[in-house]
Amino acid sequence: MNGFEKRTEEKKKKILEVAFELMNKYADGNITMENIAKHANVSKATLFKYFSNKENLIHEVFKYYLESMVTMANEIMDKNKPFDETLIALSQNKISFLNKINHSFYLKMMEYLTQKDEDGSTLLMQKYTQENYNVMLDLFHRGRKEGKVDLKYSDEFLLLYFQAIVEGISHSHIYEKLLPYTEEWTEMLIKGIAPKESN
């Protein structure tokens, strides 16, 4: 990436971060392109050069938010720490990302993610889900190698088990209360899928 491309990417990232902050603070209906340009310290023309309209910018903010979450999860996995430490770190990562957003932002993002296109698919949701599954599958395989995940549980069951739990904590009234207990509930998760000790 040359100097010009790097500056362009940095400017785009700054706009997305500012738009995220504003969308998270106010209802997106109250946010104008002028407002975003002013807070990002760019001209309105620059804003429209990168994003064709407000709807396009909002969609890009959702993508940016999800990609940041996936990037952090991959960085945690790349540290190659033991299974339980990795699971705690991934849980804390997920909850801290959820903690950064208000309920209205979360609902709008989920509405956007689950919108179907002409062929009935939601490509961004499929991509995010697939990346999330890949991280979890790597983690389960690591857990089995370390003897921390019982071999009787299939990948499919474990993915469903974790999906059910994550969807449960995705509600703001739950994850706000759960944040101080991340280690405890992760410990319960680990005990639940660990091999049973024979007497």
Side-chain angles (χ1 to χ4, degrees), residues 3-122:
F4 174 74
E5 288 170 333
K6 196 171 179 217
R7 284 192 302 277
T8 300
E9 278 307 303
E10 282 169 4
K11 204 175 273 189
K12 208 171 167 182
K13 187 180 172 197
K14 171 78 175 154
I15 293 167
L16 289 169
E17 284 170 354
V18 165
F20 167 72
E21 283 170 30
L22 292 172
M23 282 169 64
N24 204 20
K25 198 171 179 184
Y26 311 104
D28 62 356
N30 301 335
I31 300 164
T32 61
M33 292 295 264
E34 290 90 346
N35 205 350
I36 293 165
K38 182 181 158 196
H39 281 81
N41 210 14
V42 295
S43 70
K44 215 170 134 188
T46 301
L47 196 58
F48 281 106
K49 188 170 101 178
Y50 299 136
F51 308 99
S52 53
N53 54 42
K54 185 177 154 186
E55 190 177 328
N56 172 243
L57 174 57
I58 288 168
H59 291 176
E60 288 298 316
V61 168
F62 293 146
K63 274 168 71 174
Y64 171 73
Y65 175 81
L66 287 170
E67 282 163 7
S68 301
M69 208 185 317
V70 169
T71 300
M72 271 300 289
N74 285 325
E75 284 171 12
I76 290 166
M77 288 296 289
D78 289 345
K79 289 179 181 170
N80 280 319
K81 296 251 173 106
F83 171 76
D84 7 20
E85 278 183 52
T86 305
L87 186 56
I88 288 170
L90 287 171
S91 303
Q92 287 171 333
N93 178 54
K94 185 92 175 184
I95 293 172
S96 78
F97 264 92
L98 288 170
N99 225 15
K100 285 178 192 169
I101 59 174
N102 67 37
H103 191 58
S104 158
F105 181 95
Y106 178 78
L107 291 177
K108 283 269 183 203
M109 182 173 70
M110 293 316 289
E111 183 186 313
Y112 166 64
L113 285 174
T114 52
Q115 272 175 359
K116 290 182 168 48
D117 54 23
E118 291 77 29
D119 68 355
S121 63
T122 55

